[in-house]
Amino acid sequence: MTTIDYSVWDHIEVSDDEDDTHPNIDTPSLFRWRHQARVERMESFQKKGEELEKNLSESRRKLAEVQRKVQELAGASTEESRQELDKAQAQERQLRREERSWEKKMDEYRREEKKQPWNVDTLSKDGFSKSVVNVKPEVKVDTEEEKELKHKTFVEKYEKQIKHFGMLRRWDDSQKYLSDYPHLVCEETANYLVIMCIDLEVEEKHALMEQVAHQTIVMQFILELAKSLKVDPRGCFRQFFTKIKMADQQYQDAFNDELESFKERVRGRAKIRIEKAMKEYEEEEKQKRLGPGGLDPVEVYDSLPLVKEQEAKYHMKRCIDSGLWVPNSQTDEEVEKEEEPQYEELKTDTGNTEAK
């Protein structure tokens, strides 16, 4: 036989108007005073919780900034940089202590909150301000234009929050941050983090790239888990953190393998981007050098061979067309008459053997 536990009702605070009062006491006024006093206690307790949440969030924000600074200073070579690194690491240790202190106070508050008696105000209060239901999301195929617009709008609105998530390091910090900002659990966040990794690698900020790469794979694993379970990713990200923190070796190995593979892909994409940028730069410089005849003087000069006298006219014409040789205000006939000595002078000035 199943026994029902009625102890949960032991902490219900009776209504303000259930007590018997003396006939000479203004009962309605007494009830109003009691109710007002209880409401003020509840508001004060709630305000205390909000202050603790605010202080804890601020502490985590400062810690994330210092951790980012430590990452940037990692591998410092100069004495000044090493001193800055030591200072940043000391700040990180101090902020970690502060974070643990606020977390302890927050845990104490939550335990105290559970002990609060129920009353007519709390019993009739909506228990949840929001909920995420694990149902199969409606499948809608967006066009490329819609995807691009959606991504752009999302990034413009939440870029700061995405970057903050990308700089987190601990599992608990990541889970807490996504609990506070569940809208970040989506494809747009993962896509932005991928681009962020490539940008950091191009800028040669390798340590930061590896940090953000870790968070990118975290987000991608959550999205893949949601697909396998056929649920909204916002409703299953806690399952990912539970599984990864339980030290499931097979799951951990899969995560690490994907992380290393992703970092290699990022390095490859960054290399391609750098090579493309160099080619574009070289092409721009080449276009700036083009002579009046549309030839590149560098290419023309490098291709000048040691020629016989009868070949000088051809090569001299190429020098003029590229702008490598300017015949001043001379006429074409004068240029033709003087091509041979000009060419010999050109080759002699550059230290080559005179054309014969």
Side-chain angles (χ1 to χ4, degrees):
M1 179 178 177
T2 303
T3 303
I4 300 176
D5 183 9
Y6 292 97
S7 62
V8 66
W9 305 103
D10 293 343
H11 297 288
I12 296 180
E13 193 175 82
V14 296
S15 176
D16 300 316
D17 56 0
E18 287 185 0
D19 292 338
D20 293 331
T21 58
H22 193 277
N24 295 332
I25 295 178
D26 183 1
T27 303
S29 297
L30 176 62
F31 291 160
R32 285 196 300 272
W33 293 336
R34 284 180 176 178
H35 180 264
Q36 181 63 29
R38 186 177 68 240
V39 169
E40 289 177 354
R41 289 196 304 272
M42 291 169 58
E43 290 177 348
S44 176
F45 186 78
Q46 182 178 358
K47 185 177 180 181
K48 177 183 177 182
E50 292 173 353
E51 286 294 324
L52 288 172
E53 284 280 5
K54 180 180 178 180
N55 290 329
L56 179 57
S57 297
E58 180 66 14
S59 175
R60 285 172 172 166
R61 183 188 66 79
K62 291 180 179 178
L63 177 60
E65 289 180 355
V66 172
Q67 288 174 337
R68 184 162 59 252
K69 186 175 181 180
V70 169
Q71 287 283 347
E72 292 174 351
L73 293 172
S77 56
T78 65
E79 181 63 28
E80 182 179 357
S81 298
R82 284 194 291 270
Q83 291 177 356
E84 291 183 7
L85 177 61
D86 292 340
K87 183 179 178 181
Q89 289 174 334
Q91 292 176 338
E92 181 182 14
R93 289 191 293 270
Q94 175 62 28
L95 288 171
R96 282 191 182 280
R97 288 193 291 269
E98 292 180 8
E99 180 189 32
R100 287 193 292 269
S101 175
W102 287 117
E103 287 176 343
K104 183 179 179 181
K105 291 178 181 179
M106 197 69 226
D107 290 340
E108 292 174 354
Y109 173 83
R110 286 168 180 156
R111 285 194 294 271
E112 186 178 351
E113 184 180 33
K114 291 181 180 179
K115 296 178 182 178
Q116 294 291 308
W118 295 356
N119 54 61
V120 66
D121 295 302
T122 54
L123 284 172
S124 60
K125 184 178 178 181
D126 183 12
F128 299 93
S129 59
K130 62 181 179 180
S131 61
V132 177
V133 182
N134 281 342
V135 295
K136 184 177 180 179
E138 181 181 353
V139 178
K140 179 181 179 298
V141 179
D142 295 331
T143 64
E144 290 301 320
E145 292 77 9
E146 289 174 334
K147 289 179 180 179
E148 183 177 351
L149 178 60
K150 183 179 179 182
H151 177 80
K152 181 180 179 181
T153 303
F154 185 86
V155 170
E156 287 177 351
K157 189 173 182 180
Y158 301 117
E159 184 175 20
K160 185 176 180 180
Q161 294 177 2
I162 299 173
K163 287 183 176 180
H164 182 91
F165 174 76
M167 294 300 172
L168 297 177
R169 302 173 69 179
R170 297 188 296 176
W171 299 121
D172 290 340
D173 292 341
S174 297
Q175 181 176 353
K176 176 64 172 60
Y177 197 73
L178 293 181
S179 297
D180 294 339
Y181 306 102
H183 54 269
L184 296 181
V185 187
C186 61
E187 290 283 353
E188 285 72 30
T189 296
N191 293 338
Y192 183 89
L193 291 174
V194 170
I195 297 172
M196 186 176 174
C197 286
I198 298 174
D199 289 342
L200 290 170
E201 184 65 18
V202 169
E203 296 168 7
E204 298 185 351
K205 297 178 179 179
H206 307 301
L208 276 178
M209 182 279 286
E210 294 188 357
Q211 170 58 39
V212 178
H214 179 275
Q215 295 300 93
T216 305
I217 300 305
V218 167
M219 186 59 62
Q220 290 182 347
F221 260 59
I222 293 172
L223 296 175
E224 287 300 318
L225 178 61
K227 288 179 182 178
S228 66
L229 298 176
K230 297 181 180 179
V231 298
D232 190 309
R234 293 171 295 175
C236 72
F237 68 87
R238 292 179 180 82
Q239 292 175 254
F240 162 76
F241 288 108
T242 299
K243 195 169 186 178
I244 203 74
K245 288 189 291 186
M246 286 176 60
D248 184 323
Q249 192 59 47
Q250 185 177 0
Y251 197 65
Q252 185 71 54
D253 289 344
F255 181 91
N256 292 334
D257 290 344
E258 181 59 31
L259 175 57
E260 292 304 315
S261 177
F262 174 71
K263 287 190 289 187
E264 285 301 314
R265 293 196 298 272
V266 167
R267 295 185 185 104
R269 291 297 303 169
K271 183 179 179 181
I272 292 173
R273 186 190 290 184
I274 292 172
E275 291 175 349
K276 181 180 179 182
M278 289 300 297
K279 288 181 180 178
E280 290 176 352
Y281 172 77
E282 291 173 356
E283 183 61 29
E284 289 176 1
E285 290 299 306
K286 178 180 177 180
Q287 292 298 322
K288 293 177 183 178
R289 293 194 304 263
L290 294 182
L295 296 178
D296 180 4
V298 174
E299 292 181 357
V300 171
Y301 186 81
D302 289 342
S303 67
L304 286 177
L306 292 175
V307 297
K308 297 180 180 180
E309 181 177 345
Q310 57 269 28
E311 298 179 12
K313 182 178 179 179
Y314 167 73
H315 291 294
M316 195 63 197
K317 182 66 167 59
R318 295 186 74 225
C319 289
I320 295 172
D321 289 343
S322 69
L324 185 62
W325 181 264
V326 180
N328 297 325
S329 59
Q330 296 174 323
T331 63
D332 291 341
E333 292 181 359
E334 291 173 326
V335 170
E336 291 177 0
K337 291 178 181 179
E338 298 181 9
E339 275 178 353
E340 180 179 348
Q342 287 173 343
Y343 179 70
E344 291 178 350
E345 180 183 354
L346 173 65
K347 301 297 283 186
T348 301
D349 289 342
T350 57
N352 291 323
T353 305
E354 294 182 358
K356 296 181 180 179

